Amino acid sequence: QVRLFESGGGLVQAGGSLRLSCAASGRTFSGYAMGWFRQAPGKEREFVAAISWSGGNTYYADSVKGRFTISRDNAKNTVYLQMNSLKPEDTAVYSCAAGIPPVQSMGVKSWYDYWGQGTQVTVSS
């Protein structure tokens, strides 16, 4: 069992930045790939970014590429999502997830076994 706890969400103006954190407890954190997903009201949960267990490989949705950066610190059992140049369309509940997806499925939510409760990010125009 892996428990995940997100923090760092909030209200920010367009063009601003936020850094989300996801702290893990339970089973060996470093054995899992980690992903960030988001869900806006009335929309499906969508992939944002993912990082391999070692941190050596990262993956991004086209909509956030060049603006968001995912990273992890296995010594601290924490994964981060640095979000820059935020846009109103980035407004959503952001959730982190842990799993062991194959490389070609790093953005597929059904491959992730453990999920956090989510943190709200609101970007005002």
Side-chain angles (χ1 to χ4, degrees), residues 1 8 14 29 33 45 47 51 60 71 90 97 105 109 112 121 125:
Q1 184 78 10
F29 172 75
R45 180 179 282 176
F47 169 70
I51 189 166
Y60 297 94
S71 61
D90 294 319
S105 300
K109 53 184 179 286
Y112 290 83
V121 171
S125 57

Side-chain angles (χ1 to χ4, degrees), residues 3 7 10 14 18 23 31 39 49 60 64 67 74 81 87-88 90 92 99 101 115 122:
R3 294 185 178 180
S7 61
L18 281 175
Q39 187 168 20
Y60 297 94
V64 306
R67 300 188 298 123
N74 286 343
L81 185 68
K87 305 175 181 179
D90 294 319
W115 292 82
T122 303

Side-chain angles (χ1 to χ4, degrees), residues 102-116:
V103 170
Q104 66 271 23
S105 300
M106 290 292 279
V108 180
K109 53 184 179 286
S110 60
W111 278 97
Y112 290 83
D113 299 309
Y114 305 103
W115 292 82

Side-chain angles (χ1 to χ4, degrees), residues 2-89:
V2 175
R3 294 185 178 180
L4 303 172
F5 305 92
E6 302 95 339
S7 61
L11 173 64
V12 64
Q13 288 188 333
S17 298
L18 281 175
R19 188 174 84 151
L20 305 183
S21 299
C22 172
S25 64
R27 299 184 67 181
T28 307
F29 172 75
S30 60
Y32 291 91
M34 297 297 296
W36 284 98
F37 293 78
R38 67 187 181 187
Q39 187 168 20
K43 294 188 177 181
E44 294 284 323
R45 180 179 282 176
E46 66 174 4
F47 169 70
V48 175
I51 189 166
S52 61
W53 66 271
S54 68
N57 297 97
T58 57
Y59 310 83
Y60 297 94
D62 288 343
S63 59
V64 306
K65 205 170 292 184
R67 300 188 298 123
F68 290 12
T69 303
I70 188 171
S71 61
R72 67 188 296 163
D73 185 338
N74 286 343
K76 294 182 178 180
N77 284 3
T78 302
V79 64
Y80 305 97
L81 185 68
Q82 177 67 45
M83 306 186 294
N84 298 329
S85 302
L86 282 161
K87 305 175 181 179
E89 51 264 43

